[in-house]
Amino acid sequence: MRKLTQEKKRRLHEGTVIPAHPLALNAQLKLDEQRQRALMRYYIDAGAGGVAVGVHTTQFEIRQPEHNLFETVLRLAAEEIEAHSDQAFLKIAGICGDDEQAVQEAKTAATLGYDLGLVAMSKPADATKKEVLKRIEKVAAILPIFGFYLQPSVGGRVFSYDFWRQFADIDGVEAIKLAPFNRYQTLDVVRAVCHSPRKEKIALYTGNDDNIVADLLTTYRFQTDEGIVQKPIVGGLLGHWAVWTKTAVSLLEEIKIARTEDPSRIPELLTRGIEVTDSNAAFFDPAHGFAGCIPGIHEVLRRQGLLEGTWCLNRGETLSPGQTEDIDRIYAAYPHLHDDDFVKANLAKWLK
């Protein structure tokens, strides 16, 4: 199994910004390699500490035989990271499917130099909890694990405290992304980790795009057999951070200062957190069951010039009615949240 270097393990546990990488397509729904590379350069220059590729934001359809883009998009990102990032930059690969597919994808990612596998645990839908845990163990024998609790409204499954308690005990689990969009289910995961003997080895990341700032300001505290255990959510692996990434990096740094040095900043950060959630509602389209979440991300990147259009491999995946106007509203209401000037100043360089 691949092992994280000490530099990468330190970055993972200190907490960093990890965008979920979108897929750049042209009007013919073919990969736009120039813009795919430009997106990766944007994330690196914006100060992200890692990137997740082959995940929901990258479109699961990349795995379909008629597209066959999984290995390609992982390779392009890895090449740009090798050329332009520091040695601690975290390469995270989305891993999907049944045991056979998951193992093959993990092997592909490991061959390309990826550090962690973000394993989708909702498919196949009829897999038992025991079978899901066995799959995690099989992938962990190849690639360190970044666990992933995905909300049911976009294809995830609900897992119990007992499931996560067993999950946390698996050797090779290095981090968990909390994305159930549910306080109770988020709590189940953190409590399970805090009761595990591996609690110090697992970093917690928010994927709750509806609660980003509050998650990052929170330290959980539980009474265990070993006494009081405290565990913070240290960073984020987020589709939301695929856009306006430069300001997301600044936001995380502000949160770290508030947590460790200047708690007087917390009230203002919580207010800004509501602005971030309002922005996410426009991008992710919860008004229509998240139907426009990927096109919503694309629309912001299109306005900045990083993408040519909002096309998805699934032709039915388009902006929802009123979503464009809602993004207009967000741009007008919260100009301090976007990084348009940064993108404008560097776009030509990234597109070379």
Side-chain angles (χ1 to χ4, degrees):
M1 183 186 79
R2 288 179 60 85
K3 299 284 187 181
L4 290 179
T5 66
Q6 286 305 117
E7 281 181 310
K8 293 187 177 187
K9 188 167 289 195
R10 186 179 306 114
R11 174 164 291 175
L12 183 68
H13 282 265
E14 287 177 350
T16 192
V17 168
I18 303 176
H21 201 307
L23 182 68
L25 299 173
N26 60 27
Q28 290 73 46
L29 304 188
K30 299 299 182 183
L31 178 68
D32 186 334
E33 182 175 328
Q34 179 188 31
R35 292 181 184 277
Q36 191 73 15
R37 291 183 181 276
L39 280 171
M40 190 66 253
R41 295 170 187 174
Y42 161 51
Y43 298 135
I44 292 169
D45 286 356
V51 70
V53 189
V55 294
H56 176 247
T57 306
T58 325
Q59 302 177 44
F60 290 135
E61 289 82 2
I62 60 173
R63 295 165 170 82
Q64 294 174 355
E66 63 266 34
H67 304 302
N68 192 29
L69 288 172
F70 176 75
E71 182 172 354
T72 300
V73 295
L74 262 64
R75 176 178 51 79
L76 291 177
E79 288 174 357
E80 293 301 322
I81 292 166
E82 180 69 23
H84 301 293
S85 74
D86 63 40
Q87 293 301 306
F89 198 91
L90 295 161
K91 298 190 290 294
I92 301 161
I95 306 296
C96 293
D98 59 16
D99 290 22
E100 182 180 358
Q101 179 181 342
V103 165
Q104 185 55 52
E105 290 189 2
K107 288 179 178 178
T108 297
T111 300
L112 292 170
Y114 277 73
D115 304 298
L116 296 138
L118 186 76
V119 183
M121 301 187 296
S122 56
K123 305 291 183 183
D126 61 351
T128 67
K129 307 294 175 65
K130 184 176 181 180
E131 288 170 341
V132 173
L133 291 168
K134 285 293 184 183
R135 186 185 316 139
I136 296 296
E137 291 175 348
K138 289 179 180 180
V139 174
I142 302 164
L143 201 62
I145 298 293
F146 207 124
F148 184 16
Y149 198 176
L150 177 64
Q151 59 165 320
S153 61
V154 290
R157 290 173 61 179
V158 175
F159 293 101
S160 67
Y161 164 84
D162 290 335
F163 171 90
W164 288 109
R165 182 65 181 75
Q166 294 175 70
F167 185 98
D169 285 349
I170 296 173
D171 188 38
V173 173
E174 297 281 351
I176 298 175
K177 170 180 173 172
L178 308 159
F181 284 43
N182 180 293
R183 298 299 91 208
Y184 302 115
Q185 292 162 6
T186 297
L187 184 63
D188 283 341
V189 181
V190 185
R191 185 164 67 93
V193 171
C194 287
H195 280 82
S196 170
R198 299 189 66 256
K199 54 185 168 289
E200 299 300 330
K201 298 180 180 181
I202 299 174
L204 298 178
Y205 274 66
T206 183
N208 289 317
D209 300 80
D210 63 338
N211 200 58
I212 296 169
V213 173
D215 271 359
L216 292 168
L217 285 168
T218 300
T219 296
Y220 289 80
R221 183 184 299 124
F222 298 100
Q223 178 69 50
T224 73
D225 292 341
E226 298 178 7
I228 296 293
V229 173
Q230 297 192 130
K231 194 79 175 170
I233 297 174
V234 296
L237 195 168
L238 294 153
H240 184 89
W241 281 354
V243 300
W244 299 357
T245 310
K246 180 70 171 176
T247 49
V249 171
S250 298
L251 175 62
L252 180 58
E253 290 307 309
E254 285 188 66
I255 290 169
K256 287 182 177 181
I257 292 170
R259 291 183 61 150
T260 59
E261 301 173 24
D262 187 4
S264 68
R265 298 186 182 200
I266 291 176
E268 190 281 326
L269 284 167
L270 287 171
T271 297
R272 203 179 323 161
I274 298 303
E275 299 173 349
V276 171
T277 298
D278 193 16
S279 302
N280 183 262
F283 304 160
F284 270 43
D285 193 33
H288 299 91
F290 301 95
C293 62
I294 293 178
I297 293 168
H298 289 184
E299 172 61 14
V300 178
L301 296 171
R302 185 199 64 78
R303 293 181 186 209
Q304 293 182 313
L306 282 158
L307 292 184
E308 186 182 356
T310 64
W311 306 292
C312 295
L313 293 173
N314 178 353
R315 293 178 182 272
E317 208 160 355
T318 60
L319 290 164
S320 293
Q323 194 173 359
T324 298
E325 291 77 12
D326 213 19
I327 294 173
D328 291 340
R329 177 183 65 82
I330 291 302
Y331 256 101
Y334 312 124
H336 53 287
L337 294 183
H338 70 66
D339 62 358
D340 288 15
D341 289 344
F342 170 71
V343 174
K344 183 178 180 181
N346 291 280
L347 183 60
K349 176 185 71 172
W350 296 331
L351 287 169
K352 282 184 179 178

